[in-house]
Amino acid sequence: MASRSRAGFGPWQHLRAGFAPGRGTSLLLAVLALVTTTFLVALPQLAAGAHDRGLADAVTSAEPAERDLALRLTPRAVEGVALPSATLGAQSTPPFADVDAAVRTAMDPRATELFEAPRHTAQSDPFVVARADRRRLDVSAVEAVIRLDDVLVRGVRWTSGGLPGPPTLERTLTTPTGQEHRVAVVPVALADRTAREWGVAVGDVLELAPSTDATRRVTPTALVLAGTFQALDAADPVWGAEPRMLGVAKIPTADGGTKDQGAVVAPVSSYAAVADGIWRIPRGAGDASSPALDHEWRFVVVPERLVRTDAGPLRSLLVTLDTDQDVWLAVPERPRVISGLDTLLDRYDRDVAVTDVLTSFVTGGVTALAVLVLGLTALVGADRRAAEVRLLRSRGASTGLVLALVAAWTAALGIPAALLAAVVTSVTLPGSVPRGTLVEVALVVLLPLLAAVTVTWRRLAAIDEVPDETRDLGRAARRVVLELVVIALAVSAVTTVRSRGDVIAAGRTDWFATVTPVLVALAASVVAIRVLPWPVGLMSRLAARGRGLVAYLGLTRAARTGSSAAVPITALVVGTTLVALTAALSATVTAQRELAAYRAVGADARVDADRIDAADVERLAARPGVTAALPALVERGSGVVVDGKESLVTLVAVDPVAYERSLRGTPLAVDLPSMPVSAGTLPVVLSGGPQAATFDLVVRGTSIPARRAGTVPGLVRALGGREGVVALVPLEALRVTQATTQPNTVLLQASSEAQAALAKTARSDRFEIGGLVTGVVTVDGLRGAVADRALAGFVAAAFVAGTVLGAVLTLLALLLLLATTRPARTQLVIRLRTLGLPHGGERRLAWAEVMPLLAVGVIAGVVVGVYAPVAVSTALDLAPFTGAAARLPVEPRPLAGALAGLGVLVLGALALLTDATSARRGDLAQHLRRGDSA
């Protein structure tokens, strides 16, 4: 009977009986494995969605000329001059249909889905506008272009009249040479603002004569105003292609002045009538497009339809249109393809790759920290099975059975938990799971299991082991070798990242770069554990001179506990590094985003125009929240000539004193040197470039003798998406040298509210700011636009999630540090309580013993976390998340690291308070009853 009982108590019964006593540790490990696996699997899947949205963001934020597929055609003229005639000519045929068919042929099915129906437009050179009844307009020297655009059909609200129809009247005009020219009177529309400024109304007939600025010798024509309109959405990009459709604009002339020009608009269906009026094609000459009109096709990409894989079809389409001659066989005249879409796609691919590189630091840190904490949990669980291991061994259990049981008791629950998390997450979220993620999950699951098995195997080997001093020497030697290997790997990783940084920054994820912060943290923990006894020992000797015994005992134990608590301290260093690293990178991105915005704007806000007059400056300065408005001339095509060699610079002509004052308190704050004006030379402050003391400054083709007043690198600016050398000169001094100097920019010192109001006005009605205004940019607007992009938001969310998970794992590492040091500390407390240790002394002992370990680990982690971004800076290109035109230097962020370290110290204090609360529940009798088994 007894024999049957013993036979029935097999491995399964051992497993069931032994699981219950330590199920808390096993369940904790399972929960940690589940949470960590969920994070590691979800992050790349969420990244895939961010990549899709990132392409839409890249297209949406780009200028129309960069994101749209545009084609442009000006047909060749049969004759160099349009000839008037007394009869109407042939009906010109627009080239739109033939080109549409050719482009559609070049598109694959997926590319076809990505574009809206093409938008066709045609536009003439400027004409001088006059009333047909010879009455004067309300303004003089009125000019306009004729634009054929179907935006009238769906994008306007009619304030009077309605959509222009086909012409019903004819009119005979007389050319300047006295020839008669018979034309159809074409109905057109006019912006309500322009109609009021000109003083015209629906029904007025206008005669248009060629302007002296026209590039083609065309014939006069006649129009009738059929309606006036207001745009339903003035910020719609369709109006950006020709702002003159919305109002009268001032167009600069070659002599430095301006001309008022508007645009009369007709639907594309009026093409033949308009074309015949300004460039007659004789009857019988065959179908042809009008050589007097510039034709444009604009295939607009729909951002909402884009996913990352669409980059391939778009690139293929551009290549086909550029290189495949067969596409254009049916087109009489091949248009030019105008698109920056290929450049935009290249930049997007780089942004995606850089995002993957940056988030790999988070996943690498979380994986390493999770492995350490889970491994430490498994070690604690296995250590608590020491009695069971000895009992099983004494009863003759095999090594394999004991190892299997301990592994199952401590870490086996982590495997199904991780598998469940991986399956549920991968099924719930779209996107595939990369192989690298599977490797990380395998490490999280298997290494804790391996740790439990290893420590149990060593315990089994030690049961029958004969004491031998040589074994201790061997262990010490192995530890030294392992520490040297860790340090060597860290040095090698940093060296590799620095040597291959440009390749990695270009988007090639490198495993060495990913684990570099972790390896440096491991090396720092090795150094911290080795250095720990010295400062803590000094503190214990100082404490020995005091009256209390607890502080001395705690510090002495801390000085001797470093090696036995190596794994908890290492986890603490890695956790602090992860938190400090994400904090430092987040602070770097925030700081660089602000700096990039200021470099792009040049002030709090900037108003660009073809020309700025004093009245424009006064009007802007009077806006609420604007404390300074500085007129400036910004010329990107200027140059510095030294010894006959010219270097391109961006000229910024402004009042230096007022500009320096307006930049105080911003990332652009600079100390400009004195710039006295001397006869014959212009003082110039450069941000870089040639080092010559004197040179020629080329402004609008004119060379001006100049001298270097100083070099201020902080003057560098990013204009048009590019950074370049800036030459700052006093505006008034430039005016003395060049009398025709006219500002084209206003730099504003403005509050956030003023920036928002200015940007709103620019979107709704730019003409309210000024007829010459071409653009308004603000620091807050640029900064917010970059922060709202999908890739930037994903990286920020990944940092936050990584920081939270890292903080949780670090807290668990602290609790496990207390757990590993508690048995010996409890034994000491038992003895001290029998000697009269007052109640509460055990808490002071815990603080004195653990806080030095905590402090050393936090300091090491903070140092690594703060300087790790600098160590791998060659592999970091934060421009996709900062909006910078060029890579900005990565600088250490001690404040961010200090705050992260303070947070970890707070977590440590909470862990100690929790431990103290647990210890306070026991009394002396309980401690004595525990005895050596406590």
Side-chain angles (χ1 to χ4, degrees):
M1 188 72 169
S3 176
R4 285 198 304 271
S5 177
R6 286 195 299 269
F9 201 74
W12 176 247
Q13 286 72 22
H14 279 296
L15 179 63
R16 292 180 57 188
F19 177 77
R23 62 179 178 273
T25 303
S26 184
L27 290 174
L28 174 62
L29 191 145
V31 171
L32 292 178
L34 186 145
V35 172
T36 305
T37 301
T38 300
F39 174 82
L40 294 176
V41 174
L43 196 65
Q45 292 185 279
L46 294 174
H51 295 164
D52 292 342
R53 296 191 301 276
L55 181 54
D57 286 343
V59 170
T60 303
S61 60
E63 294 295 326
E66 186 179 23
R67 68 175 182 246
D68 297 341
L69 173 60
L71 298 92
R72 189 168 296 162
L73 172 66
T74 300
R76 294 186 300 273
V78 179
E79 300 177 42
V81 179
L83 300 177
S85 66
T87 59
L88 298 182
Q91 294 286 306
S92 295
T93 303
F96 300 132
D98 292 339
V99 173
D100 285 354
V103 174
R104 292 297 178 186
T105 301
M107 291 182 178
D108 63 19
R110 177 55 185 167
T112 303
E113 299 174 359
L114 300 178
F115 292 95
E116 294 179 353
R119 179 168 172 248
H120 304 136
T121 59
Q123 187 164 303
S124 71
D125 286 344
F127 287 84
V128 177
V129 181
R131 292 181 188 272
D133 57 9
R134 302 303 178 229
R135 289 186 297 121
R136 294 178 60 85
L137 297 172
D138 289 356
V139 290
S140 59
V142 175
E143 290 192 356
V145 296
I146 304 175
R147 184 171 180 85
L148 298 163
D149 197 325
D150 282 336
V151 69
L152 295 177
V153 177
R154 57 187 179 276
V156 301
R157 178 179 65 84
W158 296 102
T159 57
S160 62
L163 180 68
T168 57
L169 302 174
E170 295 182 7
R171 190 177 184 87
T172 300
L173 305 177
T174 303
T175 68
T177 59
Q179 295 175 285
E180 289 187 350
H181 184 54
R182 188 73 175 174
V183 298
V185 182
V186 181
V188 295
L190 199 60
D192 182 71
R193 181 194 301 273
T194 305
R196 285 186 280 107
E197 187 169 340
W198 288 358
V200 296
V202 171
D204 285 351
V205 177
L206 304 175
E207 291 185 358
L208 277 64
S211 168
T212 56
D213 291 336
T215 59
R216 289 164 284 205
R217 299 288 302 277
V218 294
T219 49
T221 191
L223 310 172
V224 59
L225 186 58
T228 60
F229 63 85
Q230 290 179 346
L232 294 177
D233 181 9
D236 193 310
V238 300
W239 302 106
E242 181 47 78
R244 285 175 288 191
M245 288 192 292
L246 294 179
V248 175
K250 295 184 181 296
I251 307 301
T253 58
D255 59 2
T258 60
K259 280 188 174 182
D260 288 346
Q261 285 186 359
V264 293
V265 190
V268 176
S269 58
S270 299
Y271 179 93
V274 171
D276 182 62
I278 60 179
W279 192 291
R280 180 142 297 162
I281 297 176
R283 294 183 182 273
D287 294 341
S289 301
S290 174
L293 295 172
D294 293 319
H295 306 79
E296 186 172 279
W297 294 255
R298 190 167 293 275
F299 293 80
V300 180
V301 179
V302 183
E304 295 78 12
R305 301 175 186 172
L306 290 171
V307 295
R308 182 180 180 181
T309 54
D310 291 329
L314 291 175
R315 279 199 180 90
S316 177
L317 173 62
L318 294 174
V319 171
T320 300
L321 293 176
D322 272 338
T323 61
D324 193 345
Q325 300 295 331
D326 294 339
V327 171
W328 306 106
L329 290 178
V331 177
E333 292 186 68
R334 176 176 175 174
R336 290 182 297 122
V337 178
I338 303 172
S339 178
L341 193 56
D342 52 348
T343 303
L344 184 149
L345 293 174
D346 289 342
R347 188 170 65 245
Y348 162 74
D349 284 344
R350 180 184 175 90
D351 292 351
V352 167
V354 170
T355 301
D356 292 340
V357 170
L358 198 58
T359 53
S360 69
F361 290 127
V362 179
T363 57
V366 168
T367 301
L369 180 57
V371 166
L372 286 170
V373 174
L374 288 168
L376 184 56
T377 305
L379 290 176
V380 171
D383 187 65
R384 292 179 175 177
R385 300 291 182 171
E388 288 93 331
V389 168
R390 286 193 296 269
L391 180 61
L392 288 171
R393 191 62 163 176
S394 66
R395 292 182 176 181
S398 65
T399 300
L401 176 60
V402 174
L403 295 179
L405 287 174
V406 173
W409 288 337
T410 56
L413 277 183
I415 297 177
L419 290 177
L420 176 63
V423 171
V424 171
T425 305
S426 59
V427 171
T428 304
L429 297 176
S432 59
V433 180
R435 285 178 293 180
T437 298
L438 299 179
V439 173
E440 292 171 335
V441 172
L443 292 174
V444 169
V445 172
L446 298 180
L447 287 185
L449 198 67
L450 180 62
V453 170
T454 301
V455 73
T456 304
W457 177 78
R458 291 182 61 183
R459 180 170 288 113
L460 288 173
I463 291 177
D464 301 322
E465 188 177 78
V466 178
D468 188 348
E469 293 183 358
T470 60
R471 289 192 176 91
D472 294 334
L473 292 176
R475 293 192 188 97
R478 287 195 298 271
R479 177 186 172 191
V480 171
V481 170
L482 179 61
E483 291 173 346
L484 292 176
V485 169
V486 170
I487 294 174
L489 285 174
V491 173
S492 175
V494 173
T495 304
T496 301
V497 171
R498 286 189 173 276
S499 63
R500 300 186 65 250
D502 291 336
V503 176
I504 299 171
R508 187 169 184 176
T509 303
D510 189 284
W511 279 108
F512 238 6
T514 298
V515 300
T516 294
V518 175
L519 290 175
V520 176
L522 293 176
S525 65
V526 168
V527 175
I529 293 170
R530 285 293 184 180
V531 172
L532 175 66
W534 299 344
V536 178
L538 177 61
M539 293 173 61
S540 69
R541 288 192 293 273
L542 294 176
R545 300 176 184 178
R547 297 181 57 183
L549 181 63
V550 173
Y552 167 72
L553 290 174
L555 291 171
T556 302
R557 287 177 51 78
R560 298 173 181 174
T561 308
S563 59
S564 62
V567 177
I569 292 176
T570 302
L572 176 61
V573 174
V574 173
T576 306
T577 296
L578 177 61
V579 176
L581 175 65
T582 55
L585 285 174
S586 298
T588 298
V589 169
T590 300
Q592 289 192 3
R593 186 178 294 157
E594 184 175 17
L595 176 60
Y598 269 100
R599 283 189 175 182
V601 178
D604 293 334
R606 188 183 77 236
V607 177
D608 296 321
D610 292 316
R611 170 177 172 169
I612 293 293
D613 296 319
D616 299 321
V617 179
E618 293 174 0
R619 184 165 56 250
L620 290 169
R623 294 181 67 93
V626 175
T627 54
L630 306 179
L633 172 66
V634 178
E635 288 286 345
R636 300 178 187 175
S638 300
V640 170
V641 180
V642 178
D643 297 331
K645 297 180 179 179
E646 183 174 0
S647 302
L648 292 179
V649 299
T650 296
L651 174 71
V652 177
V654 69
D655 182 344
V657 176
Y659 188 46
E660 179 183 350
R661 185 168 55 247
S662 69
L663 294 180
R664 290 173 185 169
T666 73
L668 299 184
V670 292
D671 292 324
L672 295 177
S674 176
M675 303 178 69
V677 179
S678 59
T681 61
L682 185 68
V684 180
V685 175
L686 294 172
S687 64
Q691 298 301 314
T694 60
F695 46 83
D696 288 336
L697 182 66
V698 180
V699 182
R700 294 185 177 181
T702 302
S703 294
I704 304 172
R707 59 179 175 82
R708 181 189 293 268
T711 302
V712 181
L715 283 177
V716 66
R717 297 289 182 268
L719 297 174
R722 296 182 180 178
E723 282 192 358
V725 177
V726 170
L728 180 72
V729 302
L731 178 59
E732 294 304 321
L734 184 62
R735 278 176 167 161
V736 171
T737 306
Q738 278 193 337
T740 58
T741 297
Q742 182 69 35
N744 59 3
T745 294
V746 180
L747 302 172
L748 302 176
Q749 184 179 7
S751 64
S752 297
E753 293 77 10
Q755 294 180 47
L758 186 65
K760 182 179 179 181
T761 302
R763 288 193 301 269
S764 61
D765 192 352
R766 188 191 306 168
F767 288 93
E768 184 178 324
I769 303 173
L772 284 169
V773 171
T774 58
V776 174
V777 289
T778 67
V779 166
D780 287 351
L782 287 182
R783 190 167 49 200
V786 173
D788 290 340
R789 294 176 186 172
L791 294 182
F794 170 72
V795 168
F799 280 1
V800 171
T803 301
V804 172
L805 184 55
V808 172
L809 292 173
T810 303
L811 177 60
L812 291 174
L814 293 170
L815 293 173
L816 292 170
L817 174 61
L818 290 170
T820 56
T821 59
R822 186 183 297 121
R825 187 168 60 250
T826 301
Q827 295 296 327
L828 178 60
V829 168
I830 291 172
R831 295 177 176 87
L832 292 177
R833 291 287 291 274
T834 60
L835 297 176
L837 178 70
H839 188 73
E842 63 272 18
R843 294 194 299 274
R844 294 194 298 273
L845 179 65
W847 281 80
E849 179 182 348
V850 176
M851 282 306 292
L853 305 178
L854 176 61
V856 170
V858 167
I859 292 172
V862 167
V863 171
V864 175
V866 168
Y867 287 95
V870 181
V872 298
S873 60
T874 55
L876 292 179
D877 183 2
L878 302 178
F881 323 110
T882 64
R887 189 191 302 186
L888 297 174
V890 178
E891 299 176 352
R893 303 287 171 181
L895 180 59
L899 292 175
L902 180 61
V904 176
L905 287 175
V906 171
L907 292 177
L910 291 175
L912 283 167
L913 291 175
T914 302
D915 184 73
T917 302
S918 176
R920 192 163 51 237
R921 296 173 183 172
D923 56 17
L924 178 58
Q926 290 175 323
H927 283 300
L928 292 174
R929 280 195 297 270
R930 285 179 181 174
D932 291 338
S933 66

